Each structure stands twice: as C-alpha cells, then as structure tokens.
Amino acid sequence: MLADEATSALDPEAERTLYERLRALTEQAGGALLSIAHRASVAQFHRRRWQLVAQGDAAPARYRIESSPVS
C-alpha cells in the first residue's frame, strides 16, 4: 500500500488511528506499507526511514538513498 501525505490534514489523534489501521490491514494481507510524509510526527509509525541525500553541487543533481531504522 502506498500512502502519500495521507495524514497531512489530520489532527494527531486521527493520524494515529489511520496509521494503526493501515498497519493492521497491511500485516493482515501480508503486504507492506510505503508512507511518504514530511511531518516529523509520522516517523513514530515507521520502522525504517529512507531519504534522498544530494551528492555535491553539480548539475544535474545526483542523489543517493539512505536507509536507517527509526528510533
């Protein structure tokens, strides 16, 4: 399942409820949840954090993907 800014307009309680339900649904189906978000509060619902990191100032831009567990 892909959730792109799924909670950007929600209050914290509704955000938590939505992510709990999404996680339950994907675990029940044996799938995965990929969530794209800019709000730091969403990190608590993630197991891993992936981010694009710019490599140098050259054009065209080059990026690498970094992955780390969410603590």
Side-chain angles (χ1 to χ4, degrees):
M1 181 180 303
L2 174 63
D4 185 2
E5 294 289 347
T7 61
S8 63
L10 300 180
D11 62 63
E13 184 178 334
E15 180 179 82
R16 175 175 298 285
T17 299
L18 177 64
Y19 270 101
E20 287 172 352
R21 289 181 181 171
L22 290 174
R23 182 176 286 169
L25 286 170
T26 55
E27 287 177 357
Q28 181 182 7
L33 172 63
L34 174 62
S35 172
I36 300 167
H38 294 93
R39 291 180 9 189
S41 61
V42 175
Q44 66 182 312
F45 305 108
H46 294 172
R47 293 188 178 124
R48 295 201 66 80
R49 177 181 178 177
W50 298 77
Q51 66 186 100
L52 291 175
V53 179
Q55 296 187 114
D57 298 329
R62 291 188 175 153
Y63 296 89
R64 69 177 185 277
I65 297 175
E66 291 184 354
S67 172
S68 60
V70 173
S71 52

